[in-house]
Amino acid sequence: MRRPIIRPLPTALALASVAALTPLVTQAPAAADSVIIGGSAVRSSEIPWVVALSSRDRFGGTRAGQFCGGVVVAPTQVVTAAHCLSREVLGTTVSEVRDLRVIAGREDLRGSGGHEIPVRTVRLAPGYDPATSSADLAVLTLAAAVPAHYAIATARRGDAAYRPGTPATVYGWGDTTGVGTYSSTLHAARVQVQPDAVCARAYPGSVMGGRYMPATMMCAGDARGGRDACQGDSGGPLVAQGRLIGIVSWGSGCGRADAPGVYTRVGEVLPTVADRH
Ligand code: 4AZ
């Protein structure tokens, strides 16, 4: 059983079960002052491309059913992590989830501002492999458009923003402490794009953890640890130079200096998903 140890499990319910399985995810992060891990609160109105994925049926209503993040890349197109739509996360198949929605432009998940838009169709990256988390990306088509200015540009293959050391920001409503403290307001943390060699050293694919695959993944973090994505942030954006470069995918724990967060490499994987508006 190697996957459960590093497997992203973006829900409070799932966190409870994984905590029982694995000491790794319950380990205290290096710095747990605020979200995401080591980040600070931001106003959604200034980051309109970040959306929450929601199902109150599956996840309850206290935080509007938020269970993952997503990113607006066109008025009716939202990119998220494929694993967010798995049976492991949803507890059922995605087609059985009647109230799958995207929440855009809401400052606080406990409030009612912004837009709640039903998801019409779901397309997984054809190369997505749940066993390895390779190509962990999905595109959702919305039943109604959000304003065009909500969308963020996406990085291309070989984009300069993938250069190691590039400052980047990760956004989400996920765990702010590494021990299941879910946020109702959006948070952001500053990290740096890490060299593939660092990512590969952190995740060699041992019995204890997953394997870094540079063709479809990238990793980002802070050399001292303390700033990272965590449970509940999956599917959300990593942004550098004004472009979407990564989607929160997996990692070993949260905010550990020796375990940067792993992201889907958007420039490689997004073009593999057919464009059907
Ligand atoms: C998750 O479970 C998750 N520290 C996301 C990111 C990271 C770990 C777990 C990276 O959604």
Side-chain angles (χ1 to χ4, degrees):
M1 290 275 282
R2 95 180 156 71
R3 275 209 304 123
I5 296 184
I6 52 93
R7 179 88 188 122
L9 286 165
T11 73
L13 283 175
L15 186 68
S17 58
V18 89
L21 272 174
T22 154
L24 277 185
V25 289
T26 57
Q27 216 166 54
D33 51 328
S34 64
V35 172
I36 224 173
I37 295 278
S40 52
V42 291
R43 290 185 61 79
S44 317
S45 54
E46 286 160 23
I47 328 281
W49 59 85
V50 189
V51 298
L53 296 199
S54 139
S55 166
R56 291 177 180 82
D57 284 357
R58 303 310 306 175
F59 301 98
T62 45
R63 292 170 59 264
Q66 187 270 345
F67 64 97
C68 266
V71 198
V72 179
V73 297
T76 60
Q77 306 284 305
V78 165
V79 174
T80 186
H83 83 259
C84 287
L85 307 166
S86 66
R87 176 182 283 275
E88 204 173 343
V89 166
L90 297 174
T92 185
T93 57
V94 65
S95 55
E96 298 287 310
V97 180
R98 296 276 160 245
D99 69 339
L100 184 63
R101 294 194 190 110
V102 153
I103 303 178
R106 181 168 299 173
E107 293 300 336
D108 190 317
L109 293 175
R110 293 166 301 188
S112 59
H115 317 258
E116 280 200 28
I117 304 174
V119 172
R120 182 179 284 159
T121 58
V122 171
R123 279 170 289 151
L124 305 188
Y128 173 54
D129 180 358
T132 62
S133 296
S134 183
D136 186 9
L137 185 142
V139 178
L140 311 176
T141 301
L142 305 182
V146 298
H149 76 267
Y150 279 27
I152 187 170
T154 56
R156 297 174 187 237
R157 287 198 169 97
D159 200 292
Y162 287 112
R163 265 206 296 271
T166 302
T169 307
V170 57
Y171 298 92
W173 285 273
D175 191 353
T176 60
T177 60
V179 292
T181 317
Y182 292 86
S183 178
S184 62
T185 56
L186 185 63
H187 284 70
R190 297 275 285 171
V191 291
Q192 295 95 43
V193 176
Q194 299 296 313
D196 281 336
V198 167
C199 313
R201 213 176 304 135
Y203 300 108
S206 64
V207 280
M208 291 297 288
R211 184 160 66 90
Y212 180 71
M213 302 167 82
T216 65
M217 301 173 187
M218 58 167 296
C219 88
D222 189 85
R224 290 158 300 160
R227 300 182 191 190
D228 199 3
C230 202
Q231 277 77 24
D233 295 322
S234 272
L238 180 70
V239 172
Q241 300 178 354
R243 299 184 291 283
L244 175 69
I245 62 169
I247 295 292
V248 177
S249 181
W250 61 280
S252 179
C254 303
R256 295 170 38 171
D258 61 348
V262 183
Y263 297 79
T264 312
R265 196 178 281 276
V266 167
E268 292 294 331
V269 181
L270 183 56
T272 69
V273 187
D275 202 3
R276 263 181 283 122
H277 286 246

